Structures are given as C-alpha cells and as structure tokens.
Amino acid sequence: MHSPAIAIVGAGVRGTAALGRIAARVIAAPPADPLDIHVIDPFPPGSGRIWRDGQPRSLVMNTVPAHSTVFDDATLAFSAPFPGPDFASWCAGVAAGDIAVESEWVHDAAALTLPWSTPSRSLYGHYLRWAHRRFAKSLPPQVTLTVHAASARRIAVEADVFRIALDPVPLAPPAATPTTIMADTVLLALGWVPRTHCGSASTDVPSENPIDQRIERIAPGDRVAVHGMGMGFTDLLSLVTEERGGAYIPASAPTRPGALEYRASGREPSLIAGSRSGLPFLAKPDFGAVPPRARLSALHAAIPQLVGRRPLDFAVDVLPLIERDAAAEYHRALSELHPDAYRADPRTLLDALQAPPDGTGSAHWRELEDASLDAAVRRFDAAAVLAPFASRDAEALDHEIAERIADDAAEAALGLRSPWKRALHVFQAARASIIPLTDFGGTAAASSDDLRRYLFLAGLIGSGPPLFRVEQLLAAHRAGVVRFAGPGFTVRADQTGRAVHHSLSAEPLSHVDRVAEAFLNLPDAERLGDPLIDGLLDDGLARIWAGTAPGEPATLEIAEADSALVGASGAPTAGLHSVGPLHEAIRRFTIIAPIPGTRSSVLREIDAAVESMLARTRARVHRTAEEAA
C-alpha cells in the first residue's frame, strides 16, 4: 500500500505554480500522515522545456518582468497564501545580493533588467527554477517531494488509484526513476504540448519552440519560405542573423529613434515571410515603464449583468463595450496631447464614453466623435489593423507591408504619447476580462466566429514582438535578408521544385530551398499524436469538448469548478485534473502566465484543482484508517 500521493505531470510555469499552491495549503494545514508529491518532467523542474537553460540569450520574453510571477498576492485573497517576488522583484533582489544565484551571468543579467525590460527566456528560467526550489524547501517534513526526469506515457485507473507509466530520459540513472508511479490524484500541467508529427511533407522546419526547431537545417544562402509573421518569425530571424555572427547596429542616418542597420556575416539565408492573412503582428509599445493598467470601465461595469444572460451574442453584447473603452482611452490621450484635433469641446464626447453603459447618450459616441473631431483626424477603429492591402504587384506589396510595419513601429516608439497605441493596448487587454463571459460556452454558437475574429485581432495587437525586434526586422528587410510575401501564403510543388504563392497573383513569387513554420499553434487534442493524451481519450478518462467551434483546435473537456477532466461518460474523472493551453477553447486565455496584482485566473484555476486534489488524499487517509479499524 503506497502513501497518499499527488502527481504533477509537467514542471513548467503551471506545474511550478501548482507546487506552490500545494505548499501553501500543507503549510497552513499540515497533513497528519505522510504525503508524497511526484513531479514528472523530462526537463528541469521550474523552467521545464520552454524556459530551460542553454538556449541562446538573444531569445527574449514576450512579457515584461513586472507581469510575470508564479506566486500569489493579496488580490487573490487565498486563505492559504504563499507570497513571493514576481520576476521583476526577483531580478532586483538578485542585483542587490539578497537572492543568491548560481552564476555571475545571472547576477549581471538580473542587474540590467528593469520591470519593463525584455529579458532573455533563459533568465526567466532561472527565476522559475529558483521558485520551484523555494516551494520544495518550504514543505513540512511529513511531505516528501520526488522529481522524476521522465515523460508520462500512460495513465490508467486501478482500484481508484492512478498508475502512471513513465519513460525516463535517456541520461537518467536507471535506478533514479521508476517506470511506474501510483498516485491518488493527478494534475496535468502540460503547457504547449508539441506535436509528434512534422506537419506537411514539404516542411523542413516544422512548428515548434524555437530552440527545438533545428534551425541548422537552414544553410547560409538558402531561400526559405517562412509561415508566420509574429514573435516566432522574429525569433527565427534572430537565430539566423545575430546568432550567426550578424549584428544590428544603430542606423547611421536614423529616420526615427531606435532605427537599426544590419551588418551581415555572410551566413544568412534569404527569408520570404507570409501568412494566411499576410498581416504582421504589431510591435509592443515602448511605454518606458510597466505597461499601464488598461481602463475597461464600461466592460467591467456590465460584466455582472452579462454573466446572468449567458450565452451572449459577442458582437452585440460584448464587443461594443470593448470598443468603447478603447475609444475612451484614445480620446483621453488625444485630447491631452493634441487638443487642436477637435473642432468642438471634446468633454461631451469623453463624458459619453465614460458614462455607465446604460447612461444617457452613451450609445451615440460615434456620432459625437464625428461631430467633435476635425475631418482629417484619424478615428479610432481597431479593425483598421485588418485593412486589405492595396498593392498586387509583388515588389509593391513587399514595400507596402514594410511601410505598415515601419508606421506601426513609429507609433510604438511614441509609447504613452501615441493615442493609437494606448487605445489598442486597452482593446487587446480585454481578453483577460472577458473570461467570465466566454468560458464554458458563454457565447452563443452563432457568435463563435465574432469571438474568434476579436481574439485574432487582439492577438495581432497584443501578442507581437517587442519594438526592438521589429526594428531588427525592418533592418533585415532593408538589407535584403527578408522579403514580405503577402496574404494567402502557400508553398506548392511544381516541375522545378517548391514555389511561394500568395492570393493576390496566380504567378509564383519565388522558388525556395527550404520551408519553415515560425509559429506555435494551440495544442489540438485530436492531432497531437501524444501517447498520454491519446491514452486518456482511448480509455474514456477524457473526452473532446463538444462546444469547440469549427476551425478551433480540439479541446479536452474539463469541469468548471476544479478543472477535473470530463470522461467519456460525461462525468468528471475524479482525481484527474488538467490546466493550461489544452483547454483554451473552453477556458479562455489559458496561454498566459500568472500576472501579479490582477487576481490571476490562472492561479485561481490551479488553486481550485489543488484544493480538490488535497481533499481526495485526505479522504483516502480516512478511508484507509476506517478499513484498518
């Protein structure tokens, strides 16, 4: 008979946060009997696969340090708290010598990191591993933590206990990791589960985490078709330019602050970039400080009433509130920075935008905007980001896309002095606020396309690369390393090889030597080819959520209360829980890490699962004691 046991499969951000919530709860209410915790991951606990050490330090985060944590805070009001430093505070502690680290590089990198910096992913991995060690050291003596350098291959239920079959990593000592673990309850914290297949037969570098993509397949001088125009593309660009000896240096005749030139190493390929839409992801604004908290007054005021009316028509009930909050930010900024843009007093417009959603005149802000603004002044409309391209000629289209990127970079460089970027910041930030309105089928099926369009647009606005990466992209374009292909980007085979096409011309744009995918798709539970997920589905311990909209990745169904996987019968599989991107279609915005000071939905969902798991282990102890008596 094994001791009561909990297993956490996955030791990245969510697995580490889960260990922290377990630690907090067992410190507050120490178990009377021994408790075993098993952490299972082939990569180091804390950083896991994505944030592991050894990756190029030119690869940077897409979130500022002040918005990254695995500890809880007062906004969560947990009964058993485990507060600790967010990433920015940790860097400050390392720099001051208050937190010991294992290398001089970590100390120096932390000392250079401001709360709004874009630090390396490697440095963030050091923070996560430190947090994992802190949680582990805090466990009471009757709680034993064992870390298994292994992958979970299969989970089966035997007499109400989970048997987890492991595949130890090749270099692990044979005696160090068993091939089977027994646990009373299991949390899957799998993160971005990689696909085991390699995409289409024509793809040389399939979609993956950049450090696992085998970029070395791309030889100097290769002509490479690249699917994707977001953060993944700028990652790939960094790996084939500055990581091969090239250098981005300040422009000798800059057209704007921050403009760069590229000094080639001679080892670069030639990249032709495109996507289905052809639209580039926008640069993150350089606010020169931690990004301001988005003011979403109209949306937040309406949420209690909207929750009671679910399922909602997203385009009618929700999107106008987001647009109104973004427009309010736009006109607050515009009226402060450029009061001459108005031909009438803007206070009437601002009052209407900032009034409660059912306030007098609040529905007429667009008419008031037209009446207030000078005719030549730009109106706020986030959908302008999706404007179709005017050019059809390949050279002109390449130039038009580059101009769009440059114009956006100029706005991003203005930071708080850009009304446009401030408004877009609010528009995209609403993704986190609409969770209670959209989770678990909160929007009507007929409105799923509207929600998906908003999420796509908000992703273009809010999930793009930091500004310096966009300046590097523009420099590489001017140097001839990058060319933009436009929308409808495809690669087709013909008599002479593979050729890039786009939807604006029947003629091929260029023949290529290699094809690369520079993006990460959300995990699709039906297409992963992962033995663990496939086994759960085959054994009826999990099922695909029926509410997944056409075109969305298949999502594993979970219970709203505690993230227990729902089995084939329609009932939750008691003791088996799962959190993270595998459930994005049912529990929205799972892809983000916890953000401090925001009552993090990620930490709340993890804590609810942990509470249920600990209750199950306590019940098992009581049941065993009764049987023994």
Side-chain angles (χ1 to χ4, degrees):
M1 177 71 69
H2 70 278
S3 297
I6 290 173
I8 303 173
V9 182
V13 173
R14 287 163 189 80
T16 299
L19 179 63
R21 294 311 309 143
I22 293 172
R25 286 182 171 273
V26 298
I27 291 169
D33 297 278
L35 173 65
D36 292 335
I37 302 173
H38 299 278
V39 171
I40 303 163
D41 198 308
F43 294 94
S47 52
R49 182 174 74 99
I50 302 298
W51 308 101
R52 68 187 188 265
D53 206 7
Q55 56 187 299
R57 293 169 187 169
S58 62
L59 294 179
V60 297
M61 295 179 67
N62 202 24
T63 306
V64 300
H67 285 177
S68 306
T69 193
V70 286
F71 295 91
D72 62 276
D73 56 60
T75 64
L76 289 155
F78 285 151
S79 59
F82 198 132
D86 59 32
F87 183 30
S89 301
W90 180 84
C91 287
V94 170
D98 298 329
I99 296 174
V101 291
E102 56 267 41
S103 77
E104 185 177 350
W105 172 78
V106 174
H107 178 275
D108 293 346
L112 294 172
T113 300
L114 298 171
W116 55 91
S117 295
T118 51
S120 72
R121 297 173 195 176
S122 181
L123 183 63
Y124 183 51
H126 281 274
Y127 164 70
L128 293 172
R129 290 193 293 279
W130 175 86
H132 196 280
R133 291 192 298 270
R134 178 168 172 180
F135 292 141
K137 290 177 181 177
S138 72
L139 295 170
Q142 67 271 40
V143 179
T144 301
L145 173 66
T146 306
V147 175
H148 304 275
S151 298
R153 184 180 72 252
R154 190 88 177 197
I155 296 177
V157 180
E158 298 180 3
D160 208 31
V161 175
F162 295 98
R163 178 183 291 274
I164 308 170
L166 302 183
D167 282 335
V169 297
L171 297 180
T177 301
T179 57
T180 302
I181 291 172
M182 305 300 290
D184 298 281
T185 183
V186 180
L187 176 67
L188 304 181
L190 299 176
W192 292 81
V193 182
R195 296 182 182 181
T196 54
H197 70 276
C198 294
S200 66
S202 65
T203 302
D204 304 289
V205 182
S207 170
E208 237 307 7
N209 183 36
I211 55 175
D212 295 313
Q213 275 195 295
R214 296 186 61 187
I215 303 296
E216 68 273 8
R217 294 179 184 179
I218 299 174
D222 274 354
R223 295 167 298 174
V224 185
V226 184
H227 292 263
M229 295 185 66
M231 187 75 176
F233 175 59
T234 57
D235 285 341
L236 184 148
L237 178 63
S238 172
L239 293 174
V240 299
T241 56
E242 57 185 333
E243 288 296 328
R244 292 187 177 183
Y248 294 96
I249 58 176
S252 55
T255 55
R256 61 182 176 277
L260 302 173
E261 294 176 358
Y262 180 63
R263 186 171 59 206
S265 68
R267 300 173 60 203
E268 300 82 5
S270 176
L271 306 180
I272 304 172
S275 64
R276 183 172 55 187
S277 68
L279 297 165
F281 280 63
L282 305 191
K284 284 189 163 54
D286 182 5
F287 288 124
V290 176
R293 185 69 54 85
R295 287 181 276 196
L296 291 157
S297 305
L299 177 63
H300 288 167
I303 283 176
Q305 180 262 337
L306 290 174
V307 166
R309 292 204 291 109
R310 291 171 24 129
L312 303 169
D313 183 325
F314 185 81
V316 173
D317 298 321
V318 183
L319 185 59
L321 296 169
I322 299 172
E323 292 173 333
R324 185 173 146 194
D325 281 327
E329 184 65 25
Y330 180 76
H331 287 290
R332 272 193 294 266
L334 188 66
S335 61
E336 293 167 5
L337 297 166
H338 305 288
D340 56 340
Y342 298 86
R343 60 186 178 211
D345 190 336
R347 284 179 294 183
T348 302
L349 170 60
L350 283 168
D351 287 346
L353 284 165
Q354 296 170 159
D358 57 349
T360 303
S362 63
H364 306 297
W365 68 266
R366 291 189 185 276
E367 291 85 352
L368 288 170
E369 183 181 58
D370 286 337
S372 302
L373 275 180
D374 190 275
V377 175
R378 182 186 210 175
R379 272 65 172 161
F380 176 74
D381 180 8
V385 172
L386 304 176
F389 298 105
S391 307
R392 305 192 75 83
D393 171 75
E395 184 174 344
L397 182 59
D398 171 66
H399 178 75
E400 181 180 349
I401 294 172
E403 283 295 303
R404 281 202 191 190
I405 295 172
D407 290 345
D408 177 68
E411 288 284 344
L414 292 173
L416 291 171
R417 293 178 293 113
S418 169
W420 178 250
K421 280 293 188 180
R422 281 172 58 174
L424 291 180
H425 173 65
V426 169
F427 185 87
Q428 64 82 27
R431 288 179 290 178
S433 294
I434 64 173
I435 289 172
L437 306 179
T438 59
D439 274 11
F440 296 90
T443 48
S447 187
S448 60
D449 284 347
D450 298 313
L451 174 59
R452 188 163 50 184
R453 276 192 291 271
Y454 164 74
L455 292 172
F456 171 72
L457 175 55
L460 282 179
I461 294 167
S463 299
L467 177 57
F468 84 91
R469 277 283 193 244
V470 175
E471 293 291 3
Q472 290 178 345
L473 171 60
L474 291 168
H477 179 263
R478 288 190 292 271
V481 176
V482 173
R483 179 181 178 186
F484 300 114
F489 183 90
T490 57
V491 178
R492 305 175 199 162
D494 60 22
Q495 301 90 329
T496 57
R498 293 176 290 180
V500 172
H501 292 256
H502 59 80
S503 60
L504 302 183
S505 173
E507 297 299 316
L509 183 63
S510 174
H511 282 81
V512 294
D513 305 300
R514 296 281 181 269
V515 179
E517 294 176 340
F519 55 84
L520 274 178
N521 276 322
L522 282 166
D524 187 323
E526 291 184 318
R527 299 177 58 202
L528 290 174
D530 182 271
L532 178 61
I533 303 302
D534 290 348
L536 293 173
L537 291 168
D538 292 344
D539 295 343
L541 300 178
R543 73 177 185 181
I544 302 299
W545 184 47
T548 303
E552 281 192 312
T555 287
L556 294 183
E557 186 174 354
I558 51 175
E560 185 171 2
D562 62 1
S563 299
L565 280 173
V566 174
S569 68
T573 301
L576 182 58
H577 305 259
S578 184
V579 294
L582 272 169
H583 317 290
E584 177 65 16
I586 189 170
R587 193 191 287 282
R588 296 287 177 180
F589 221 33
T590 62
I591 58 176
I592 60 169
I595 300 174
T598 63
R599 198 169 175 265
S600 166
S601 60
V602 176
L603 288 176
R604 283 188 287 119
E605 105 182 86
I606 290 172
D607 184 66
V610 164
E611 181 180 26
S612 179
M613 294 165 72
L614 287 170
R616 182 177 171 87
T617 62
R618 288 193 298 269
R620 185 247 162 140
V621 169
H622 293 154
R623 187 170 61 250
T624 301
E626 290 174 356
E627 291 171 354

